Amino acid sequence: MNIIAFSRTLVAITALVVAPASWAGLVAYSQNFEGLSGSGALSGVGFQVSGLLFNGNTGANPPYGTFKFFYGTFPAPNGTGFSAIASGEGGLPQGAQYLNAYSDYNCCGPGTTNEGHFDLSAPFVSVQSNVFQEQTLGPADIGSTWTLTFDAKLPSTNGCQTTATSDCIAFIRTLNPNAGFAQTNLVSFDAQTLSNAAWSTHTILIDLSDPLLNGQVLQFGFQSTSQLFGNTGVYYDNIFFGVDTDADGAPNIADNCRLKANNTGAAAQCDSDGDGIGNRCDGDLNNNGATNAQDTSMFRPRLGMAVPGPVFDKADFNCNGIVNAQDTSIFRTLLGAPPGPGAGP
């Protein structure tokens, strides 16, 4: 991935409109790509695309070489370049449709510049393609943690290659419009590590505690870099972008216990009674809307009980497969309080 060159070239995005810091602010986003069709499917749900070219040598920004030019930003297409709605390899959580993000294989020729994927002379030009959403940070965002959670897998064929000159990531980054759109933060997930046989869920998060981020641009999305029509396809689905109050990797809009961290291991987000509130913040064992002496009487006989997952006992508040002293400590903090809060803003 080429950080320096990307930052430098964003100054060329003349169409970018930065919202005044006085009213701007991040907004939670979710997308499962169901029901989308047609050439404007992805632009209709807010995605944009942009491309960068590098000359392929081992110059200032390896492994792609020095920057050549930038093009974009355009509404996201649904076709042969950048991205498309895909189907046929989804599991039950993914449904019928999902996003396929890949390189702009139309760049840049033939009959035009014969660059990009159409450059057939060593050291071969590299094309970096971005499919992303863009927002502007406001004062209320400072001090918060925002999370991008998504399902992902490589296509069964033509998935992102594991080579030095083919690179695919999911990312969150911030850009400073007052400094030529210099990149100020980047967090990423390496999509080359994905399986082409099974979907998996992944999370990246960004800490927005720096006051200087007020008024900066935040982008989240997917990036690929390749040359000579190298494979870059990555499937993404069930995208959640939102504030993560408890910094456990699950955004509030998808966190069933948003003030208590409960998103680790095999028991992540466990909710034994299926009421939409995770065990970690639900001491209401009899489901009467309060955590009180009645729940204490129900909790005590369960101490020492082992109930390994995937279905945990509700009194197993940390969902580790046994009701023990750890759960006692958690239960005490829940006494006198209603269950929750569950998923929300």
Side-chain angles (χ1 to χ4, degrees), residues 148-312:
L148 177 64
T149 299
F150 52 90
D151 296 343
K153 75 178 288 286
L154 297 180
S156 56
T157 58
N158 300 326
C160 187
Q161 294 175 313
T162 54
T163 63
T165 53
S166 185
D167 189 11
C168 305
I169 65 169
F171 67 84
I172 310 173
R173 58 180 164 234
T174 58
L175 310 165
N176 187 354
N178 297 317
F181 293 97
Q183 185 166 269
T184 51
N185 284 284
L186 174 70
V187 291
S188 64
F189 166 79
D190 182 2
Q192 288 180 310
T193 64
L194 292 167
S195 165
N196 67 353
W199 288 84
S200 51
T201 301
H202 303 275
T203 298
I204 54 177
L205 56 86
I206 187 167
D207 178 2
L208 302 176
S209 57
D210 187 349
L212 296 178
L213 291 171
N214 183 28
Q216 292 195 20
V217 174
L218 182 144
Q219 295 178 342
F220 63 90
F222 314 106
Q223 177 180 282
S224 64
T225 308
S226 68
Q227 57 185 215
L228 294 174
F229 297 92
N231 295 334
T232 53
V234 182
Y235 291 155
Y236 296 100
D237 202 6
N238 296 327
I239 296 170
F240 290 96
F241 175 71
V243 65
D244 182 12
T245 301
D246 57 10
D248 67 353
N252 287 3
I253 58 174
D255 193 341
N256 63 19
C257 187
R258 66 180 186 271
L259 301 184
K260 301 285 186 180
N262 69 331
N263 202 42
T264 14
Q269 300 284 296
C270 89
D271 174 15
S272 294
D273 61 1
D275 64 354
I277 299 173
N279 286 20
R280 181 61 182 80
C281 56
D282 188 358
D284 181 17
L285 300 184
N286 62 0
N287 290 325
N288 69 350
T291 307
N292 52 28
Q294 297 175 32
D295 302 295
T296 303
S297 298
M298 296 177 67
F299 175 74
R300 285 172 178 162
R302 300 185 188 184
L303 277 169
M305 183 173 62
V307 187
V311 180
F312 298 95

Side-chain angles (χ1 to χ4, degrees), residues 3 31 57 72 77 100 107 118 122-123 137 192 224 228 245 284 318 334-335 337:
I3 299 173
Q31 184 57 246
N57 66 20
N100 189 5
C107 179
F118 294 86
L137 288 93
Q192 288 180 310
S224 64
L228 294 174
T245 301
D284 181 17
N318 61 1
L334 300 174
L335 277 168

